[in-house]
Amino acid sequence: MNADPLVQAICASVDAHSDAYTQASDAIWAHPEVNFHEDFSAGVLRELLLKNGFTLTENLGGMPNAFRAEYGSGRPVIAYLGEFDALSGLSQKAGCAIKDPIVPGGAGHGCGHNLLGVGALAAAIAIKEQIAAGALSGTVVYFGTPAEETGSAKTFLARDGFFAGIDAMLTWHPWDYTGIWPGGSLANVKMIFRFKGRSAHAAGSPELGRSALDALELMNMGVQFLREHVPEDTRIHYAITDAGGASPNVVQASAEAVYLVRSPRLADLEDIKQRVIDCARGAAIMTGTTMEMEFVKGCSNILPNTTIEETLVRTMHALGVPQYTDGELALARSLHDALESPEKTLAKISRLCGARERAAVLAHQGEPMYAFIAPHTPTDSPLITVSTDAGDASWCAPTSQISVATWAADTPAHTWQAVAIGKSSIAHKAMLYAGRVIGVTGALLMRDHALLAQAQEEFRVRTAATPYVCPIPEGIRPKT
């Protein structure tokens, strides 16, 4: 154990409340809720915070289940970001290595947010106890943020100023490896395109029809050609949500698709977004239809902060990583063997490493759980090409997050295997370890004003070079 009394006290706090945290995460796992409807899940977290002396402000930005809990007074202000929403269609029995939903078609915690929210809360409570004991001075804040998967609540909070006055923010995410979440993430925007045409008999009087489905297909074709002329790290996804009906002998008068556009850079994202919209406009002109675009949500790429990342890495190494029993490894092996399309996690990590580190990383090939700390190589290029609304928080204050091995090796997020392991002792160990790491790091930032000032100066330089522009326009409200 680290000899620093503050480090020892933070870890002791997490351990002392471990039963309560485990029960809370399991309760949220058993009540998966999505997209601003996380009433039970948010309630579990609010109850724990109130019980531990935090003051709550609810319905931030008019969003149900978005809340701020705080304790203490004055600066510095260290904040933790907590998520708790699930994913639709991923219901799965716990500890089961075959696909077996609890509720067919129901929701499940395929991204581990039942653990994420509680682990971040554990860190906040640990700091609160040190403020109460007089060992730390300042304010600790916990943001309960719903709808990360589909609603970008944190982006709305960033746009509307709810992260103002925060000195540093920390969070974590379940994954299949332990280390810094390196190089940011992908910014994205989500839009719905609706085409309206005119129905007609497709054989008797086709000249009278104006096909909305033709317009939608032409838009999609235009975007396929566009893919050749955007940066290679761009992602453009779509789903046809209304094909206009099932009768081929009727000209389709309506059609709809949802588009999700991603890029590691906000400036590129804005340009690509406009080009996708132009594809839709052109398709409407070509078919004599009308097009309506509805902006749903967006989020920014994560702005890295090397100062905080290096502090997190030192903390992870000082605390070590969770170790697993034979039974836990057997569960991980069974879930790994059930993967349809495994991730290539070690190959991705090793690409950022030098030769010696690369060999050490690749030596873990074949292990059911990756029980090592990934080498830290500061970079602005995302290793994990996903999106998170934590990105927008990172443009409001110095922010960093870690990944902790929670799932079997090479498990992709948003899979039933991630759900199946989500209330196991493996997952509980990951959650408590994350609470210790980000709790200790937050305490160090609160105590060491020079360290915090260094993180803030790095943030100032980065944002001066590239000012934050929220991807959600003014006037757009959350779809609660």
Side-chain angles (χ1 to χ4, degrees):
M1 172 64 72
N2 189 295
D4 187 331
L6 180 61
V7 173
Q8 293 178 348
I10 295 293
C11 293
S13 170
V14 174
D15 293 343
H17 299 294
S18 61
D19 287 346
Y21 298 147
T22 296
Q23 291 168 12
S25 67
D26 284 356
I28 294 171
W29 185 97
H31 294 80
E33 301 163 306
V34 301
N35 199 33
F36 295 113
H37 297 290
E38 312 94 328
D39 300 332
F40 176 88
S41 304
V44 169
L45 299 173
R46 286 194 296 258
E47 182 179 347
L48 275 172
L49 289 159
L50 288 170
K51 182 179 178 181
N52 282 276
F54 283 75
T55 300
L56 262 65
T57 303
E58 302 195 49
N59 296 311
L60 298 185
M63 291 181 282
N65 302 319
F67 61 89
R68 172 181 171 134
E70 65 180 275
Y71 182 90
S73 62
R75 310 294 284 269
V77 181
I78 305 299
Y80 290 93
L81 301 171
E83 299 166 13
F84 37 84
D85 59 324
L87 288 150
S88 60
L90 281 182
S91 177
Q92 169 65 24
K93 291 180 180 176
C96 181
I98 60 171
K99 189 175 183 180
D100 190 4
I102 299 171
V103 178
H109 275 283
C111 217
H113 292 178
N114 62 303
L115 302 157
L116 193 167
V118 178
L121 179 146
I125 289 176
I127 289 187
K128 171 263 172 182
E129 291 179 350
Q130 292 308 295
I131 294 174
L136 288 173
S137 177
T139 305
V140 61
V141 174
Y142 178 93
F143 286 102
T145 59
E148 187 275 333
E149 299 289 357
T150 54
S152 290
K154 285 188 278 296
T155 310
F156 287 102
L157 294 176
R159 186 195 66 183
D160 295 342
F162 286 98
F163 295 132
I166 303 298
D167 291 310
M169 285 190 272
L170 294 161
T171 190
W172 76 288
H173 203 290
W175 216 260
D176 70 327
Y177 80 97
T178 298
I180 294 299
W181 187 296
S185 60
L186 299 183
N188 75 32
V189 290
K190 183 178 182 181
M191 301 169 286
I192 300 173
F193 294 91
R194 299 186 179 94
F195 293 92
K196 298 296 182 183
R198 188 164 65 230
S199 62
H201 194 294
S205 52
E207 72 280 3
L208 300 180
R210 299 292 182 268
S211 174
L213 183 58
D214 285 355
L216 180 57
E217 290 191 303
L218 282 166
M219 176 195 173
N220 292 340
M221 182 63 71
V223 174
Q224 306 308 341
F225 285 111
L226 174 63
R227 294 177 197 276
E228 184 182 356
H229 304 287
V230 295
E232 62 182 358
D233 48 11
T234 298
R235 304 283 190 271
I236 306 175
H237 326 288
Y238 72 93
I240 297 174
T241 51
D242 177 11
S247 300
N249 62 337
V250 177
V251 175
Q252 294 87 351
S254 65
E256 178 182 289
V258 179
Y259 265 77
L260 191 64
V261 183
R262 306 183 197 248
S263 170
R265 297 162 297 277
L266 270 174
D268 286 349
L269 180 68
E270 180 62 26
D271 176 66
I272 297 162
K273 179 189 80 172
Q274 291 301 325
R275 294 173 75 184
V276 169
I277 293 171
D278 286 344
C279 287
R281 289 172 175 157
I285 292 170
M286 285 189 284
T287 54
T289 59
T290 60
M291 184 277 292
E292 174 190 279
M293 188 275 285
E294 179 185 358
F295 188 100
V296 179
K297 60 106 175 177
C299 63
S300 303
N301 54 298
I302 292 176
L303 186 69
N305 191 283
T306 302
T307 302
I308 301 180
E309 289 175 3
E310 290 175 347
T311 308
L312 286 163
V313 170
R314 289 193 296 271
T315 301
M316 283 189 282
H317 282 286
L319 300 184
V321 294
Q323 301 300 305
Y324 307 105
T325 65
D326 290 344
E328 290 168 340
L329 292 174
L331 172 62
R333 173 66 67 189
S334 67
L335 287 168
H336 174 272
D337 291 346
L339 294 171
E340 294 90 349
S341 301
E343 287 276 8
K344 297 180 180 179
T345 300
L346 298 184
K348 291 180 179 179
I349 293 172
S350 67
R351 284 201 298 268
L352 300 179
C353 298
R356 181 177 297 178
E357 290 178 327
R358 184 179 302 115
V361 168
L362 295 177
H364 293 280
Q365 193 70 50
E367 295 176 358
M369 288 292 300
Y370 290 141
F372 69 97
I373 298 169
H376 176 230
T377 304
T379 176
D380 286 353
S381 298
L383 172 66
I384 302 173
T385 51
V386 299
S387 302
T388 170
D389 59 4
D392 291 274
S394 75
W395 288 84
C396 299
T399 303
S400 290
Q401 67 176 359
I402 62 171
S403 300
V404 178
T406 308
W407 309 326
D410 299 324
T411 298
H414 297 193
T415 59
W416 65 262
Q417 290 91 343
V419 184
I421 208 169
K423 62 180 298 190
S424 69
S425 56
I426 294 173
H428 299 151
K429 286 180 177 179
M431 174 185 69
L432 297 173
Y433 176 74
R436 296 185 200 101
V437 171
I438 62 176
V440 166
T441 302
L444 295 176
L445 288 166
M446 183 173 279
R447 182 180 69 181
D448 187 341
H449 293 183
L451 178 65
L452 180 59
Q454 181 180 335
Q456 292 176 325
E457 176 61 15
E458 179 183 345
F459 172 79
R460 187 196 66 76
V461 170
R462 284 180 174 271
T463 52
T466 309
Y468 175 56
V469 178
C470 183
I472 299 180
E474 292 292 337
I476 302 295
R477 302 307 308 162
K479 292 193 171 298
T480 60

